Amino acid sequence: MKHWLFKTEPDEFSIEDLQKKGSAGARWDGIRNYQARNLLRDEVAEGDTVWIYHSRCKHLGLVGLANVLSAAYPDPAQWDPESPYFDPKSSLDAPRWYCVDVAHRETFSTLIPLAKIKRDPRLQEMVLLKQGRLSIQPITEAEAKVLLKWTQGNA
DNA sequence: GCCAACGTTGGC
DNA sequence: GCCAACGTTGGC
């Protein structure tokens, strides 16, 4: 059971939006970066834990948890000419982009700010801090333990 | 909203 | 297959 960090811009799709989807969850689509795609397609599994991160907004940080409902499947948006995620170079027999379904589990009563993560010596190796521009990224078991401690009593 | 960093595209 | 131009991400 792995831990992942999924970034989202709350102006586009926030944890509140995810919560409104209930147990049916939401399709996490529109991933158009090969490194993120490879992680989604090859490593993200049903039952994994997703830490939702709000990026490009006033309150940057981890805002809650979600469950992965399905292993990756081809993102239908890549074949929809009306979609902003349409990719004319992707064919039906060789899908280029993948997505997963996730369901809201919990919203933290107080977010874990990016600044707090940056300050903790145990979290300096987080992909979040090491590498920008990656919207799907792994969180190690040790990192997750630190983060989980911070959420205790916050649910 | 700015802009640095970085991934992608496409001409050569 | 190089690399300049371009587009996007994402913290500030």
Side-chain angles (χ1 to χ4, degrees), chain A residues 84-155:
Chain A
Y85 302 126
F86 177 61
D87 183 349
K89 291 178 183 167
S90 180
S91 68
L92 277 166
D93 52 335
R96 183 179 286 197
W97 305 113
Y98 285 77
C99 59
V100 294
D101 291 342
V102 302
H104 179 269
R105 186 196 301 179
E106 157 183 356
T107 300
F108 304 144
S109 60
T110 52
L111 96 166
I112 299 176
L114 173 62
K116 183 172 182 176
I117 294 171
K118 282 186 169 174
R119 263 186 262 118
D120 194 294
R122 295 166 296 178
L123 300 179
Q124 295 307 301
E125 296 302 311
M126 278 188 73
V127 179
L128 182 67
L129 303 186
K130 300 289 256 188
Q131 182 183 353
R133 306 168 54 89
L134 185 62
S135 57
I136 305 282
Q137 46 182 268
I139 293 178
T140 68
E141 196 60 41
E143 290 159 354
K145 277 208 178 99
V146 174
L147 295 170
L148 275 172
K149 274 236 169 76
W150 289 350
T151 70
Q152 278 172 8
N154 273 349

Side-chain angles (χ1 to χ4, degrees), chain A residues 27-45:
Chain A
R27 176 180 292 151
W28 206 271
D29 60 2
I31 301 298
R32 296 294 179 270
N33 167 286
Y34 286 104
Q35 199 181 347
R37 188 280 309 268
N38 291 346
L39 290 169
L40 259 192
R41 187 191 55 191
D42 304 333
E43 299 197 44
V44 175

Side-chain angles (χ1 to χ4, degrees), chain A residues 30-97:
Chain A
I31 301 298
R32 296 294 179 270
N33 167 286
Y34 286 104
Q35 199 181 347
R37 188 280 309 268
N38 291 346
L39 290 169
L40 259 192
R41 187 191 55 191
D42 304 333
E43 299 197 44
V44 175
E46 185 182 338
D48 284 355
T49 295
V50 172
W51 294 72
I52 304 291
Y53 178 87
H54 279 179
S55 69
R56 272 175 92 110
C57 60
K58 191 167 181 187
H59 302 290
L60 297 167
L62 295 163
V63 291
L65 298 176
N67 301 318
V68 176
L69 294 181
S70 69
Y73 58 94
D75 182 350
Q78 67 197 305
W79 297 306
D80 176 5
E82 303 299 314
S83 168
Y85 302 126
F86 177 61
D87 183 349
K89 291 178 183 167
S90 180
S91 68
L92 277 166
D93 52 335
R96 183 179 286 197
W97 305 113

